[in-house]
Amino acid sequence: MNVLVINAGSSSLKYQLYNMKTEDVLAKGRVERIGMDSSILTHEVEHQPEVREVSEILEHTTAIKKVLDMLTHRKFGVLRNIQDIQAVGHRVVHGGESFSQSVLVDQEVKLEIRKLFDLAPLHNPAHMMGIVAVETNLPDVPQAVVFDTAFHQSMPPSSYLYAIPTVLYRKHKIRRYGFHGTSHDYVSKRAAEFLGRPLEELKIVTCHIGNGASCAAIMHGKSYDTSMGMTPLEGLMMGTRSGDLDPAVVPFTINKEDLTLNEVNSMLNKHSGLLAISGISSDMREVVEAMGEGNEKARLAFEMYAYRIRKYIGSYIAAMDGVDAIVFTAGVGENSDALRKEVCKGLTFFGVYLDGQRNAVRSQEPRRITTDDSRVSVLVVPTNEELLIARDTFKLVQNRSEKKSE
Ligand code: ADP
């Protein structure tokens, strides 16, 4: 079975086509600048030069049509015809409390996702455009949705409630949801496989450190707590997001700087984090480079960023009353040995001892970066959210076919 994985944003759309027998990626790519006259489709097939096509793509239905044309293109395509796509899986950011696992799309599911537009106004409407666009182009192909929040639905109320009047939770569902769930789920499973131990026996802290960043306490395979909250703004310091701060900063800043709520929201989401403190960039590579050249602001940004991660790891070890493994993943977590070293240098009390040489190794495979006598294993596990979306979609479609044939 071939599964097409779609991650639809408001003006962009990423895709990967999987052969589920081998779990190989047959092709992948993205459409950027949807809604503009010079939209760009970039298409990649292994061992072949990248293809770039510029055209006018005004909405998602046309974007999907272009992707399907490319996948079946005589020269650049990998499929004979579009009937060779047997299922489509979509990444959906917010599943609220309605979805604690991936599901096949039907009218009811679409209605539920629509109800959640308020909680993720930048993401869910775009995902819905992707779902409708696939429906229009491939009306007979089953679609599944895989939610960033679903994995964290196992959190207990003591983790997910905010200490504010409970009427706000009852009326508006204001609570912690957590994000990057697909990644935390995937890397914790891979970590257990790597350690050769059942996931159900393990206490793991996963650190997904990319442009957006979050930590999760994963107890016996289930999310027990996570650092992102009702939105992806809470928790760790990120590329451009502030992470945790005293909520009183918001009204105070509005008064002192004569800003609107929207302006403060934009400041906290787009002009804070690494970018604000370093004054250089939201990209960890550039911050580390500047630090190497003696830039003190870059050093402070780097240290603050690592310190927040260390604090979360410590608090999650306390929350779970122990830890077997700490896992780093995503762009910064997988690639920056400097960051991993800075985070772990404060964890020796817990029995975490990094091995400098192992930490410096680069690989696409999961690996241990602690010494053999370190009580806790620190692992680097490359994440693969698309593969998990493809696997969930495949499983759902297979189960449905089995039920039908019973
Ligand atoms: P996203 O959250 O957008 O999925 P990624 O997980 O792809 O982000 O992470 C992207 C970030 O990874 C970049 O902004 C960059 O800061 C960081 N990154 C990539 N390579 C390195 C590296 N070698 N050293 C430090 N940071 C890196």
Side-chain angles (χ1 to χ4, degrees):
M1 184 190 286
N2 294 323
V3 173
L4 180 64
V5 174
I6 302 280
N7 182 354
S10 55
S11 66
S12 72
L13 185 151
K14 292 188 205 145
Y15 64 93
Q16 290 204 7
L17 180 69
Y18 278 90
N19 170 347
M20 293 314 292
K21 213 186 243 170
T22 56
E23 296 196 336
D24 284 335
V25 176
L26 301 176
K28 63 179 177 180
R30 59 188 183 276
V31 184
E32 289 159 298
R33 298 168 56 89
I34 299 174
M36 295 168 222
D37 53 9
S38 53
S39 315
I40 306 161
L41 190 159
T42 315
H43 176 76
E44 287 174 59
V45 176
E46 213 182 358
H47 307 306
Q48 285 183 30
E50 190 179 278
V51 182
R52 258 170 75 92
E53 197 183 82
V54 179
S55 62
E56 182 183 78
I57 300 180
L58 292 179
E59 32 68 56
H60 288 63
T61 305
T62 317
I64 292 285
K65 168 93 176 57
K66 293 267 182 197
V67 170
L68 297 175
D69 287 348
M70 190 55 94
L71 290 171
T72 50
H73 192 277
R74 209 165 25 88
K75 191 160 166 214
F76 310 120
V78 289
L79 301 174
R80 239 172 305 147
N81 56 52
I82 53 171
Q83 277 80 40
D84 291 338
I85 298 172
Q86 281 92 11
V88 178
H90 294 265
R91 173 199 179 208
V92 175
V93 162
H94 222 306
E97 288 189 329
S98 314
F99 300 102
S100 55
Q101 55 195 17
S102 308
V103 289
L104 287 170
V105 175
D106 59 17
Q107 288 307 330
E108 213 176 304
V109 166
K110 283 197 289 188
L111 197 70
E112 280 303 316
I113 297 175
R114 284 215 166 85
K115 283 190 200 156
L116 296 166
F117 278 8
D118 258 4
L119 281 174
L122 297 179
H123 293 100
N124 276 23
H127 302 320
M128 185 52 80
M129 288 195 274
I131 294 168
V132 172
V134 171
E135 220 169 57
T136 311
N137 282 284
L138 299 169
D140 300 322
V141 174
Q143 301 192 67
V145 274
V146 179
F147 301 93
D148 277 19
T149 50
F151 180 62
H152 299 300
Q153 277 297 298
S154 53
M155 287 189 292
S158 50
S159 297
Y160 71 67
L161 284 178
Y162 291 123
I164 56 176
T166 50
V167 64
L168 293 172
Y169 169 60
R170 286 199 307 276
K171 266 174 81 178
H172 307 296
K173 297 284 177 227
I174 296 176
R175 52 160 283 181
R176 175 185 313 287
Y177 291 96
F179 298 86
H180 296 140
T182 318
S183 179
H184 290 294
D185 185 10
Y186 177 82
V187 299
S188 57
K189 286 185 175 129
R190 289 286 279 156
E193 277 166 22
F194 178 87
L195 295 169
R197 292 180 58 189
L199 185 60
E200 297 70 31
E201 280 177 13
L202 295 171
K203 295 173 181 174
I204 305 178
V205 178
T206 45
C207 309
H208 176 110
I209 316 292
N211 278 322
S214 65
C215 285
I218 302 180
M219 184 128 81
H220 310 146
K222 294 204 157 70
S223 176
Y224 182 78
D225 203 352
T226 190
S227 59
M228 281 180 167
M230 185 176 91
T231 76
L233 181 57
E234 193 181 346
L236 301 174
M237 175 172 156
M238 306 178 214
T240 61
R241 287 174 235 166
S242 65
D244 294 337
L245 86 168
D246 182 345
V249 169
V250 175
F252 193 86
T253 310
I254 287 174
N255 282 335
K256 289 285 179 193
E257 290 286 315
D258 198 19
L259 296 177
T260 65
L261 253 181
N262 274 346
E263 285 166 338
V264 174
N265 200 21
S266 162
M267 173 190 90
L268 296 176
N269 275 291
K270 297 189 183 143
H271 307 285
S272 297
L274 266 187
L275 175 65
I277 303 297
S278 71
I280 294 172
S281 171
S282 62
D283 191 313
M284 184 53 91
R285 282 167 291 203
E286 291 176 30
V287 172
V288 170
E289 199 180 301
M291 195 170 70
E293 290 160 1
N295 185 312
E296 282 309 311
K297 284 202 271 180
R299 168 161 300 281
L300 176 62
F302 177 79
E303 286 175 359
M304 280 175 67
Y305 189 93
Y307 177 61
R308 287 272 180 103
I309 301 171
R310 199 187 310 143
K311 280 208 294 188
Y312 265 101
I313 294 174
S315 67
Y316 287 163
I317 295 174
M320 295 191 288
D321 192 13
V323 70
D324 298 291
I326 297 165
V327 179
F328 284 95
T329 194
V332 182
E334 288 169 32
N335 294 304
S336 179
D337 51 338
L339 190 267
R340 294 192 298 259
K341 184 174 166 198
E342 180 71 15
V343 170
C344 292
K345 79 177 187 193
L347 299 173
T348 51
F349 175 78
F350 296 113
V352 173
Y353 293 99
L354 225 57
D355 179 310
Q357 271 180 341
R358 288 178 181 172
N359 186 34
V361 170
R362 284 182 171 247
S363 158
Q364 275 311 300
E365 293 301 313
R367 59 197 185 278
R368 191 193 312 264
I369 58 170
T370 31
T371 59
D372 290 336
D373 59 354
S374 179
R375 202 162 61 235
V376 176
S377 294
V378 178
L379 309 179
V380 180
V381 180
T383 193
N384 194 342
E385 289 155 286
E386 292 78 13
L387 177 58
L388 201 136
I389 295 172
R391 281 181 183 163
D392 272 12
T393 304
F394 178 60
K395 257 187 272 165
L396 285 165
V397 172
Q398 256 194 336
N399 288 348
R400 190 182 71 157
S401 325
E402 278 164 20
K403 270 200 199 126
K404 267 190 185 163
S405 63
E406 270 169 16

